[in-house]
Amino acid sequence: ASCGIPEVDDTKLMECNACDLVRYCSIACQRDHIPKHLRKCTKRVAELREELLFKQPASTHREDCPICMLPHHLDTKKCTMLNCCSKMICDGCCHAYLFSGAEKHRCLFCRTFLPSGDEQIAKQRLKRIELNDPVAITSEGLGLDKNGDYVKAFECYTKAAALGDIEAHHRLAMLYHWGQGVEKDKRKEMYHFKEAAVGGHPTARHNLGCDELNNGNPEKAAKHWIIAATHGNDDSIKGLMMVFKGGAISKEVLAAALRANQAAVDAAKS
């Protein structure tokens, strides 16, 4: 412990709540040590956050189609969200289902009877929202956003983000960026972009790269763009070519990013 007491069988030490540098024998021990530890703790927390930010996510925030188990395409027009269960189904599976001879009046994932009109569709969506389904709440926010009701869209995104929805974080960042439904706030904008990027959102990751380049950090920009390109973001490839010309990355790094980008695009074909 910071006070010198060792950890033995009958003495269990507590770790600092923020970093992994020190341990304490009691709350009082921790409180007494805070003035000495605060600066190192703040520095270590920033380092841990940086490590997490630049860690390659296993997949994009869109994950896989629950039917064919192939990665979703980044283009949201190439999949359909089912209001009954909030599952995203790729166009390939939807197309195959239509010609499979299966019951067309049931959801191809949860087997719920499909709604027959707009009123029933709205009821299903409202039911998912009442159940605090983050995907359904974000979807509701997208509709409000599209219609220009940014204040209510902001409320939906905020609730969905608190429930862990990555797309909601990205949408909140965009609202803070443009000042739609809320005052412009660069700090909050970057916070939500980073939360979305850590969750595997390629567009948010690309935007972080653009921000780093604007701040004079082409090496950090390249790191963000490599991760985004690996998940199929084409705009990041353009960014990498630009910083390659400026000498920030090597020809080998650019070639590897191009191969990874093509592999991600190919994997999303259903």
Side-chain angles (χ1 to χ4, degrees):
S2 61
C3 58
I5 296 177
E7 184 174 46
V8 292
D9 292 339
D10 58 344
T11 303
K12 299 298 180 182
L13 301 181
M14 305 180 301
E15 289 188 348
C16 173
N17 296 328
C19 71
D20 55 4
L21 294 177
V22 297
R23 294 192 290 176
Y24 303 102
C25 64
S26 65
I27 297 296
C29 176
Q30 182 179 20
R31 186 170 55 249
D32 292 341
H33 190 249
I34 284 178
K36 299 178 181 178
H37 175 59
L38 187 58
R39 182 176 295 180
K40 290 183 178 179
C41 183
T42 303
K43 181 181 178 181
R44 180 56 181 163
V45 167
E47 291 172 352
L48 291 172
R49 181 63 181 172
E50 190 86 348
E51 290 175 11
L52 179 63
L53 181 60
F54 287 105
K55 183 179 179 181
Q56 178 77 49
S59 64
T60 71
H61 68 297
R62 294 178 59 73
E63 300 181 338
D64 301 337
C65 170
I67 304 298
C68 64
M69 302 307 293
L70 292 176
H72 275 303
H73 197 282
L74 295 183
D75 185 354
T76 57
K77 296 179 181 179
K78 294 187 176 182
C79 65
T80 301
M81 192 190 90
L82 304 173
N83 287 302
C84 50
C85 54
S86 295
K87 294 296 182 183
M88 304 295 292
I89 308 298
C90 69
D91 280 357
C93 288
C94 290
H95 181 78
Y97 180 66
L98 290 175
F99 291 93
S100 65
E103 295 178 286
K104 302 300 185 296
H105 57 282
R106 287 183 179 271
C107 169
L108 71 164
F109 180 78
C110 69
R111 310 307 297 161
T112 299
F113 282 101
L114 295 175
S116 58
D118 292 341
E119 185 177 347
Q120 289 187 9
I121 291 174
K123 285 182 178 180
Q124 280 192 340
R125 184 171 63 250
L126 181 60
K127 183 178 179 181
R128 298 303 306 177
I129 292 173
E130 290 173 347
L131 291 172
N132 280 336
D133 184 327
V135 176
I137 297 170
T138 297
S139 179
E140 181 75 6
L142 289 171
L144 294 166
D145 199 337
K146 185 178 180 180
N147 292 328
D149 193 345
Y150 302 119
V151 174
K152 289 186 178 179
F154 176 79
E155 293 174 358
C156 288
Y157 295 151
T158 300
K159 185 176 180 180
L163 292 169
D165 189 75
I166 300 303
E167 181 64 32
H169 278 294
H170 177 246
R171 297 290 172 171
L172 282 172
M174 295 305 296
L175 291 181
Y176 278 116
H177 175 77
W178 295 111
Q180 295 174 323
V182 66
E183 290 185 8
K184 288 186 178 182
D185 191 316
K186 185 68 173 179
R187 184 182 63 82
K188 291 181 179 179
E189 174 194 341
M190 287 297 104
Y191 167 78
H192 287 292
F193 270 144
K194 289 177 180 180
E195 287 296 307
V198 169
H201 200 296
T203 305
R205 177 73 67 177
H206 172 75
N207 290 338
L208 287 177
C210 294
D211 187 70
E212 289 291 357
L213 186 67
N214 291 335
N215 290 333
N217 301 315
E219 291 80 11
K220 281 191 175 182
K223 287 183 179 181
H224 283 301
W225 287 337
I226 288 171
I227 295 173
T230 301
H231 282 155
N233 185 276
D234 293 334
D235 289 335
S236 292
I237 291 294
K238 297 175 184 178
L240 287 171
M241 289 181 175
M242 180 173 57
V243 294
F244 165 69
K245 293 177 182 178
I249 59 172
S250 66
K251 182 179 180 180
E252 291 75 19
V253 170
L254 176 61
L258 286 168
R259 289 193 298 270
N261 177 262
Q262 188 58 53
V265 173
D266 292 341
K269 294 178 180 179
S270 63

